[in-house]
Amino acid sequence: MGADPRFFPARGPFRLAALAEAVGARLVGEGDREVSGVAPLALAGPDDLAYLEGRRHLAALRAARCGAVLVSEDFAAAAPEGCAVLVTPTPQLAFARAAALFHPRPAPVPGIHPTASVAADATLGEGCEVGPFAVIGARAEIGPGCIIGPHAVVGAGCVLGAGSILRAHAVMEHCLAGAGVVLHQGARVGNEGFGFVTTAAGEHVTVPQVGRVILGDGVEIGANSCVDRGAGGDTVLGPGTRLDNLVQIGHNVRTGRGCVIVAQVGIAGSTELGDFVVVAAQAGLVGHIKVGSKARIGAQAGVMNDVPPATDVVGSPAWPARETMRAFARLRQLATPKKDDKTGGTP
Amino acid sequence: MGADPRFFPARGPFRLAALAEAVGARLVGEGDREVSGVAPLALAGPDDLAYLEGRRHLAALRAARCGAVLVSEDFAAAAPEGCAVLVTPTPQLAFARAAALFHPRPAPVPGIHPTASVAADATLGEGCEVGPFAVIGARAEIGPGCIIGPHAVVGAGCVLGAGSILRAHAVMEHCLAGAGVVLHQGARVGNEGFGFVTTAAGEHVTVPQVGRVILGDGVEIGANSCVDRGAGGDTVLGPGTRLDNLVQIGHNVRTGRGCVIVAQVGIAGSTELGDFVVVAAQAGLVGHIKVGSKARIGAQAGVMNDVPPATDVVGSPAWPARETMRAFARLRQLATPKKDDKTGGTP
Amino acid sequence: MGADPRFFPARGPFRLAALAEAVGARLVGEGDREVSGVAPLALAGPDDLAYLEGRRHLAALRAARCGAVLVSEDFAAAAPEGCAVLVTPTPQLAFARAAALFHPRPAPVPGIHPTASVAADATLGEGCEVGPFAVIGARAEIGPGCIIGPHAVVGAGCVLGAGSILRAHAVMEHCLAGAGVVLHQGARVGNEGFGFVTTAAGEHVTVPQVGRVILGDGVEIGANSCVDRGAGGDTVLGPGTRLDNLVQIGHNVRTGRGCVIVAQVGIAGSTELGDFVVVAAQAGLVGHIKVGSKARIGAQAGVMNDVPPATDVVGSPAWPARETMRAFARLRQLATPKKDDKTGGTP
């Protein structure tokens, strides 16, 4: 079963020879054969192209009904009879590229919906699509080929680079964004951060939050995620950084290039991430720490100190992964009653 | 004190005999007596019906000022003088049903608000209410008696069953939903999932997300929760499944019937839940695991492996509940200094 | 570098003598000298006023290029030559007040945007600003000087006090709010809580949620946070209480004055907080417990029992902070292999 055409009309069909060339794979089989869509291995039918993600799905490949499969050299022989084979060292990446041929990101349908509210002094590049009830504020500058979805808001003075997308209900304010940026449904960018000083009497006095949000090229912000603007100075997400849904980014956080921040992570104010840092789901990072490039933070970790580059940490409070795993194994062992000791516990 | 009539105009008053019959309780006292509203035991006055939740509220019952109370046989004698008693084995359920007589879910006020944007080829059943600035996309099919709240969005091609409700700012896209579905304020359904492949150079290449979201009859999605559409194939929430607020559901997650997912839970891609699974608040489930029917996941648990049916797990990483409780007790014991050991620690 | 004038036009410049008087500091240096903005110490230039947060930023002060600095008596001597010194016992608070002189909260621009939908019987005080696509429901009462942002919704019957602000996409329903209340982008107030009873057959029967939300003066609700209305009776946030982003507040929760609830915290139904309680990020509190005034809950804590006043708890399950730290240290020690013990572990 390929994609539902009511939501995802597919281009194609494509000849396997053309697909192989487009994604840099070596075709084993007839080049003239065609496929008309892409699908996961378990769901793919004779007209679909699938891929093998790794050894643990080998059984699924042997049972597959797909017309063609992207697979690495080692597993090519496992494809069932009648299934064409496209050999590539990176099957998942090749699949992403093939899928994009069938389902390219929908291009903007140029025009401003009659219900949209666009400031007279805002500027829009060529070929932008502005949806119903979208709001574009004074002096905003929107590059060519952007899509501003229904109810999306581009605040006064904001800059949005070419080919960017605001999905339904996304909001950007006090923000300068590069090209190819995507804000998913309900993303909140440039909101006032949680900045106040408490008097001796317990009154919270707001510190004016007069910084911005700077989004590098290709940054993506997940649904209902929040990126607060700087208190003074900027909150910065480096080029290619991707946030999943329901993520919280505090004021003056900075990330390098290509960081991956999974769902429900929270990063407190002024913390800095290097390049290609991965923060797994529901982890939390306190403010004012530094996480080195290529560090990996485990799911639900609670990070309270700097993390050196290329280091894995897990747990709350977070320790190096190996040490934490040993501690949990030890704890489990201590808590297991010994056979000859009904009171349980100590070895 | 009953409900504030400015927000919740009440039907009634109702005779106790009629209420008892409607909810299947046995009335002890005069059937002609009337009550005009429902309220919690601690707040209820002489015109209100309340209920006793369990033994630990017995003192509250003895001190209650309510006109009538739903109570189980065992505790019926504890009702104060002057308070009529309605005996039922399930007081809370009976209360829910009685409350719905006073406060039925508001019916749609049929009509399309003049500011709403409805595609010419969308279809709406009889008696739908469409609020201000709602957007209904091309070819959308909305069943009879639905309420589409202010700023809600029903995307192109979506199907929504009879009697469903989208509250203010809810969004559904790429979604087929059954009857009696409720999306609360700001719910995001059918957004693009977090699907990409990273090249050796660190570039994240999006995998087109060409699946759907399928919502069974009676599914409810809490405020600002997110349900990503399938990458290929579908994300499926089974009939009667309820999500609380700020929940994250990744692409291709599947639940069975009647699951309960409490606030701020995250479930990663392709994980499958059986029927009647309960996931308590802030728990996280990694992707590609299976949780058996009637399993219960504790609050803040971090579930990294399959969970058998009807099993309780807690902790992060999650273990069976009993074992985890023992481990924590043991840890606490190890950390308690002994009286004769000032260095603390080992028993 | 001060604030970007495209987003934050500054008042001023101000004479240092005037600033010192306004914030209650003692000026050391020429009173006629002027500064034209505020900035963090590390970014401030010769025209900016900065402040020293504490001893750990002393090196930054010595290297600073700011024109003037707010500093406590002890560190006044560390200011570099040419930098004017304003001495105050509370530099950060004085900075907040000075910053508000340069950047006062933008006043409403009175008027109702032509696209807004305002019910005929709603009342608005003097000088309110109502943005594009805002919705104000029947009988709503909005005090003078409020700002209702783009797409914000004030539900039927709601009351909003003077000088309050709803940012873009904020929603309030079934809510009575005091003066000076702020709902940030996408905040959801007054949504139906997660209230249902499950039958023996597994059907979830909704309990009508007929309570309200009461917000005290000066309450702030962060972006995409959710505050459910009471089931019966009210959900109450006391005066001055501040919620960060993505916080979940269940039905019938009550807080006292000036509580601080940091990002991604969840508080389950009917739990009560005293005054000035601080709940750090990602913590979770079960329902039906009491947290005493000035208690402090650590980040990611899982609080399952009452917390006495002025007590610090951390961990999940939460224990008193000192005990937990000892337990974790002990666990770490147990998991560290001894030099002469290659099997690791036991002391």
Side-chain angles (χ1 to χ4, degrees):
Chain A
M1 186 194 77
D4 184 339
R6 129 179 65 176
F7 298 116
F8 307 98
R11 297 197 180 171
F14 293 106
R15 291 174 58 246
L16 287 179
L19 279 176
E21 191 182 340
V23 305
R26 180 172 57 82
L27 174 67
V28 181
E30 324 156 46
D32 283 341
R33 195 163 154 191
E34 288 183 339
V35 285
S36 58
V38 291
L41 197 51
L43 299 177
D47 293 332
D48 294 324
L49 173 68
Y51 76 103
L52 179 71
E53 203 178 339
R55 182 180 301 273
R56 67 188 178 124
H57 293 100
L58 260 181
L61 176 57
R62 292 204 177 92
R65 298 174 46 253
C66 57
V69 67
L70 290 153
V71 64
S72 62
E73 192 72 60
D74 334 10
F75 304 126
E81 206 165 343
C83 169
V85 169
L86 290 82
V87 177
T88 163
T90 53
Q92 197 185 9
L93 179 60
F95 180 80
R97 294 193 160 132
L101 295 174
F102 288 99
H103 302 287
R105 187 167 266 180
V109 179
I112 297 177
H113 195 276
T115 63
S117 172
V118 180
D121 57 354
T123 60
L124 281 90
E126 286 286 303
C128 286
E129 171 181 345
V130 179
F133 311 120
V135 174
I136 300 180
R139 296 169 290 110
E141 301 171 27
I142 297 180
C146 289
I147 299 176
I148 310 299
H151 303 98
V153 175
V154 179
C158 286
V159 174
L160 183 63
S164 293
I165 301 175
L166 268 62
R167 301 265 178 230
H169 287 249
V171 174
M172 70 186 302
E173 297 180 333
H174 317 101
C175 176
L176 309 181
V181 164
V182 181
L183 307 192
H184 290 282
Q185 297 171 0
R188 313 296 177 199
V189 174
N191 198 75
E192 184 178 310
F194 203 53
F196 53 85
V197 187
T198 303
T199 67
E203 187 201 357
H204 305 308
V205 178
T206 297
V207 181
Q209 303 286 300
V210 296
R212 306 170 299 187
V213 175
I214 310 294
L215 302 179
D217 292 346
V219 165
E220 302 210 4
I221 313 280
N224 283 352
S225 286
C226 300
V227 180
D228 289 340
R229 67 179 184 262
D234 298 319
T235 302
V236 180
L237 300 182
T241 289
R242 294 198 180 202
L243 274 55
D244 199 349
N245 300 343
L246 294 167
V247 167
Q248 158 66 6
I249 302 291
H251 46 200
N252 298 92
V253 165
R254 286 171 172 262
T255 82
R257 303 177 62 83
C259 292
V260 173
I261 318 283
V262 185
Q264 297 175 315
V265 163
I267 305 184
S270 301
T271 280
E272 297 183 26
L273 276 58
D275 297 332
F276 308 115
V277 172
V278 177
V279 186
Q282 297 185 331
L285 282 67
V286 300
H288 297 275
I289 60 172
K290 288 183 203 301
V291 177
S293 289
K294 299 197 179 176
R296 301 166 64 96
I297 314 291
Q300 296 187 328
V303 185
M304 298 167 68
N305 297 102
D306 290 356
V307 178
T311 305
D312 284 19
V313 298
V314 304
S316 175
W319 298 345
R322 184 181 294 191
E323 191 180 339
T324 301
M325 289 309 170
R326 203 159 49 207
F328 273 103
R330 184 81 184 107
L331 178 59
R332 193 166 196 168
Q333 182 188 350
L334 285 173
T336 305
K338 292 175 74 170
K339 276 180 193 164
D340 55 351
D341 171 10
K342 287 189 181 131
T343 63
T346 334
Chain B
M1 187 193 78
D4 184 339
R6 125 180 68 177
F7 298 117
F8 307 98
R11 296 197 181 172
F14 292 107
R15 291 175 58 246
L16 288 178
L19 280 176
E21 191 181 340
V23 307
R26 180 172 58 82
L27 174 66
V28 181
E30 324 156 46
D32 283 341
R33 194 162 154 189
E34 289 184 337
V35 286
S36 57
V38 292
L41 197 50
L43 299 177
D47 292 332
D48 294 323
L49 173 67
Y51 76 103
L52 178 72
E53 205 177 337
R55 182 180 301 274
R56 66 187 178 124
H57 294 99
L58 260 181
L61 176 57
R62 293 204 177 94
R65 296 174 47 252
C66 56
V69 67
L70 290 153
V71 65
S72 62
E73 193 73 58
D74 334 11
F75 304 126
E81 206 167 340
C83 168
V85 169
L86 290 80
V87 177
T88 164
T90 54
Q92 198 184 8
L93 180 59
F95 181 81
R97 294 195 160 129
L101 294 175
F102 288 99
H103 302 286
R105 187 168 264 181
V109 179
I112 297 178
H113 195 277
T115 62
S117 173
V118 180
D121 57 354
T123 60
L124 280 91
E126 286 286 303
C128 286
E129 170 181 347
V130 179
F133 311 121
V135 174
I136 300 180
R139 297 169 289 110
E141 300 171 27
I142 297 179
C146 290
I147 298 176
I148 310 299
H151 302 99
V153 176
V154 179
C158 286
V159 174
L160 183 64
S164 292
I165 301 175
L166 268 62
R167 301 266 178 230
H169 287 250
V171 174
M172 70 184 302
E173 296 180 332
H174 317 100
C175 176
L176 309 180
V181 164
V182 181
L183 308 191
H184 290 282
Q185 298 171 358
R188 313 297 176 196
V189 174
N191 198 74
E192 184 178 312
F194 203 53
F196 54 84
V197 188
T198 303
T199 67
E203 186 199 359
H204 306 308
V205 177
T206 297
V207 181
Q209 303 287 299
V210 296
R212 305 170 300 186
V213 175
I214 310 294
L215 302 180
D217 292 345
V219 164
E220 302 210 4
I221 313 280
N224 283 351
S225 286
C226 301
V227 180
D228 289 341
R229 68 180 185 261
D234 297 320
T235 303
V236 180
L237 300 183
T241 289
R242 295 198 179 201
L243 275 54
D244 198 351
N245 300 342
L246 294 166
V247 167
Q248 157 66 6
I249 302 291
H251 46 200
N252 298 93
V253 165
R254 286 172 172 262
T255 83
R257 302 177 63 83
C259 291
V260 173
I261 318 281
V262 186
Q264 297 176 315
V265 163
I267 304 184
S270 300
T271 281
E272 296 183 26
L273 275 58
D275 296 333
F276 307 115
V277 173
V278 176
V279 186
Q282 297 186 331
L285 282 67
V286 300
H288 298 274
I289 61 172
K290 288 183 204 302
V291 177
S293 290
K294 299 197 179 177
R296 301 167 62 96
I297 314 290
Q300 297 188 326
V303 185
M304 299 166 67
N305 297 102
D306 289 357
V307 178
T311 305
D312 284 19
V313 298
V314 304
S316 175
W319 297 346
R322 183 180 296 191
E323 191 178 339
T324 301
M325 289 310 170
R326 202 157 51 207
F328 274 101
R330 185 81 185 108
L331 178 58
R332 193 164 196 170
Q333 181 188 352
L334 285 173
T336 304
K338 293 176 74 171
K339 278 181 193 161
D340 56 349
D341 172 9
K342 289 192 179 127
T343 64
T346 333
Chain C
M1 187 194 75
D4 185 338
R6 126 178 67 178
F7 298 117
F8 307 99
R11 296 197 180 171
F14 292 107
R15 290 173 58 246
L16 288 179
L19 279 176
E21 191 183 337
V23 306
R26 181 171 57 80
L27 174 65
V28 182
E30 326 156 44
D32 283 340
R33 195 162 152 190
E34 289 184 338
V35 286
S36 57
V38 292
L41 197 51
L43 299 176
D47 293 331
D48 294 324
L49 171 69
Y51 76 103
L52 178 72
E53 204 177 337
R55 183 180 301 275
R56 66 188 178 122
H57 293 100
L58 260 181
L61 175 58
R62 293 205 176 91
R65 295 174 48 253
C66 55
V69 67
L70 290 153
V71 64
S72 63
E73 193 73 59
D74 335 10
F75 305 126
E81 206 167 343
C83 169
V85 168
L86 290 80
V87 177
T88 163
T90 54
Q92 198 185 8
L93 180 59
F95 181 81
R97 294 195 159 131
L101 295 175
F102 289 100
H103 303 286
R105 187 168 264 179
V109 179
I112 297 178
H113 195 276
T115 62
S117 174
V118 180
D121 57 355
T123 58
L124 281 90
E126 286 285 304
C128 286
E129 171 180 346
V130 179
F133 312 121
V135 174
I136 299 179
R139 298 167 290 110
E141 300 171 28
I142 297 180
C146 290
I147 299 176
I148 311 299
H151 303 99
V153 175
V154 179
C158 286
V159 174
L160 183 64
S164 293
I165 302 175
L166 269 62
R167 302 265 178 229
H169 288 249
V171 174
M172 71 185 301
E173 296 180 334
H174 317 101
C175 176
L176 309 182
V181 164
V182 181
L183 308 191
H184 290 282
Q185 297 171 359
R188 313 296 176 199
V189 173
N191 199 74
E192 184 179 310
F194 203 53
F196 54 85
V197 188
T198 303
T199 68
E203 186 200 357
H204 306 308
V205 178
T206 297
V207 181
Q209 303 286 299
V210 295
R212 307 170 298 185
V213 175
I214 310 295
L215 302 180
D217 292 345
V219 164
E220 302 210 4
I221 313 280
N224 283 352
S225 286
C226 300
V227 180
D228 288 341
R229 68 179 183 263
D234 299 319
T235 303
V236 180
L237 300 183
T241 289
R242 294 197 179 202
L243 274 55
D244 199 351
N245 300 342
L246 294 165
V247 167
Q248 158 66 6
I249 303 291
H251 46 201
N252 298 92
V253 165
R254 287 173 172 260
T255 82
R257 303 177 62 83
C259 292
V260 173
I261 318 283
V262 186
Q264 297 176 316
V265 163
I267 304 183
S270 300
T271 281
E272 296 183 26
L273 276 58
D275 297 332
F276 307 115
V277 172
V278 176
V279 186
Q282 297 186 332
L285 282 67
V286 300
H288 298 274
I289 60 171
K290 288 184 203 301
V291 177
S293 290
K294 300 197 179 176
R296 301 166 62 96
I297 315 290
Q300 297 188 329
V303 184
M304 298 167 68
N305 297 102
D306 289 356
V307 178
T311 305
D312 284 20
V313 299
V314 304
S316 176
W319 297 346
R322 184 180 294 190
E323 191 179 338
T324 302
M325 289 310 170
R326 202 158 53 206
F328 273 103
R330 184 82 185 107
L331 179 59
R332 193 165 197 169
Q333 181 189 351
L334 286 173
T336 305
K338 294 174 75 170
K339 276 181 194 161
D340 55 348
D341 172 9
K342 288 190 180 130
T343 64
T346 333

